[in-house]
């Protein structure tokens, strides 16, 4: 039984066959899925998917690249959405300095506000961080993120920093990049981080693992990621799947 911790089935890449694809998950061993919001619209769509499918949960949040759309009024609405029953986390939130817009100040402001929100409602966060390691870490430290807990998703930094996030009580989301031929850094991360702190994710429709790299991704590719982690850690596929499943139940408080 595999737990998909991070996918975007609201994405238009799935418009043609969304229901068919989602309906095929369980017979292919994908037991649960968390559909992660990245904007106000996709948060609403994630909650809709969670209402429609018993095995789908949602995360509600606004991705750093979409933070221009936030204001006090819609932030109140976002808070209400975060409180919905099947919403298991606030996310994805964070910093993305790969693009020039929105400004760093805008991104930081709404990252902090969403961290405060998570702390306030006692739900974990899903962190998206790209080309912004230091600011992400500093803000998490200043906001005492250890009290909030959560996942650093699609982790892309050094093994040393991964262990700092683990010390802070966070879990590390490992996706398709670990299977790439140039994925040496991710291999080091998987070696360093204890299995008890690793989660499986695809970030579908993005970042499909080998041998499907470049194609539309779906949770059906998770076995390739689990297999690679098992190889790197020198353990069985089953142990990898079972331990990461339990990790996910813990962090999303699904017992
Ligand atoms: Ni994502």
């Amino acid at each position: 039984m595999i737990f998909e911790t991070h996918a975007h089935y609201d994405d238009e890449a799935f418009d043609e066959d969304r229901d068919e694809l989602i309906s095929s998950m369980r017979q292919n061993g994908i037991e649960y899925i968390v559909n992660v919001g990245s904007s106000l619209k996709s948060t609403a769509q994630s909650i809709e998917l969670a209402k429609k499918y018993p095995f789908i949960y949602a995360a509600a949040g606004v991705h750093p690249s979409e933070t221009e759309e936030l204001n006090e009024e819609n932030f109140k609405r976002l808070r209400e959405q975060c409180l919905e029953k099947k919403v298991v986390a606030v996310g994805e939130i964070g910093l993305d300095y790969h693009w020039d817009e929105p400004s760093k100040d805008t991104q930081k402001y709404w990252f902090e506000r969403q961290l405060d929100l998570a702390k306030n409602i006692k739900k974990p966060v899903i962190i998206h961080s790209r080309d912004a390691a230091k600011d992400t870490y500093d803000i998490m430290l200043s906001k005492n993120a250890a009290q909030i807990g959560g996942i650093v998703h699609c982790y892309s930094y050094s093994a040393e920093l991964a262990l700092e996030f683990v010390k802070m009580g966070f879990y590390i989301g490992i996706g398709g990049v670990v299977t790439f031929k140039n994925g040496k850094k991710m291999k080091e991360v998987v070696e360093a981080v204890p299995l008890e702190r690793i989660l499986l994710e695809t970030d579908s429709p993005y970042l499909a693992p080998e041998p499907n790299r470049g194609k539309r991704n779906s949770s059906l590719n998770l076995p390739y990621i689990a297999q690679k982690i098992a190889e790197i850690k020198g353990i069985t596929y089953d142990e990898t799947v079972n331990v990461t499943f339990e990790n996910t139940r813990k962090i999303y408080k699904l017992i």
Side-chain angles (χ1 to χ4, degrees), residues 6 8 36 63 92 128 153 203 206:
H6 193 119
H8 302 280
V36 178
H63 184 286
E92 53 190 293
H128 168 102
H153 122 84
D203 207 16
Y206 312 106

Side-chain angles (χ1 to χ4, degrees), residues 21-247:
L21 179 65
I22 292 175
S23 302
S24 74
M25 289 295 160
R26 289 203 121 175
Q27 71 212 48
N28 286 293
I30 312 300
E31 190 77 4
Y32 296 105
I33 295 169
V34 176
N35 202 81
V36 178
S38 54
S39 63
L40 294 168
K41 187 175 168 218
S42 76
T43 288
Q45 289 169 327
S46 297
I47 294 170
E48 283 310 306
L49 284 170
K51 283 182 177 158
K52 186 166 179 189
Y53 297 96
F55 60 96
I56 293 186
Y57 293 88
V62 175
H63 184 286
S65 301
E66 305 291 334
T67 44
E68 292 280 20
E69 70 173 345
L70 283 168
N71 56 47
E72 287 308 320
E73 203 179 312
N74 58 30
F75 193 68
K76 270 188 208 149
R77 171 83 189 115
L78 181 64
R79 185 180 193 282
E80 285 164 19
Q81 287 170 312
C82 286
L83 287 168
E84 289 215 24
K85 205 169 150 229
K86 284 188 86 185
V87 172
V88 292
V90 177
E92 53 190 293
I93 65 173
L95 300 173
D96 193 328
Y97 293 169
H98 186 73
W99 311 107
D100 294 334
E101 300 285 333
S103 72
K104 289 183 181 177
D105 282 348
T106 300
Q107 293 190 36
K108 284 184 196 170
Y109 178 78
W110 289 110
F111 181 30
E112 294 186 346
R113 290 291 302 273
Q114 292 183 93
L115 282 171
D116 288 339
L117 166 59
K119 191 184 281 181
N120 187 261
I121 64 168
K122 297 188 171 59
K123 288 194 182 179
V125 288
I126 300 170
I127 306 276
H128 168 102
S129 178
R130 181 157 64 150
D131 300 343
K134 187 174 183 328
D135 282 1
T136 304
Y137 183 75
D138 288 350
I139 287 177
M140 287 168 71
L141 212 55
S142 77
K143 286 288 171 190
N144 206 355
Q147 277 183 6
I148 304 169
I151 301 160
V152 185
H153 122 84
C154 201
Y155 187 80
S156 61
Y157 301 131
S158 69
E160 287 90 342
L161 186 60
L163 292 176
E164 292 301 316
F165 285 121
V166 166
K167 248 189 243 167
M168 224 188 246
F170 273 70
Y171 290 73
I172 305 295
I174 301 293
V177 178
V178 74
T179 68
F180 294 175
K181 291 204 171 59
N182 54 359
K184 186 171 163 275
K185 201 165 83 175
M186 285 314 301
K187 195 174 166 245
E188 290 168 4
V189 169
V190 171
E191 276 169 356
V193 174
L195 185 63
E196 286 66 30
R197 288 307 184 88
I198 289 176
L199 303 177
L200 303 179
E201 65 166 58
T202 60
D203 207 16
S204 294
Y206 312 106
L207 290 169
E210 294 288 0
N212 293 322
R213 189 172 179 179
K215 294 184 190 157
R216 183 184 75 170
N217 201 2
S218 91
S219 309
L220 299 177
N221 284 322
L222 280 166
Y224 297 115
I225 297 167
Q227 183 57 45
K228 192 69 192 179
I229 293 172
E231 251 174 66
I232 294 170
K233 288 223 166 273
I235 56 177
T236 63
Y237 173 85
D238 284 350
E239 185 180 358
T240 305
V241 165
N242 293 340
V243 174
T244 54
F245 189 92
E246 286 308 313
N247 296 345

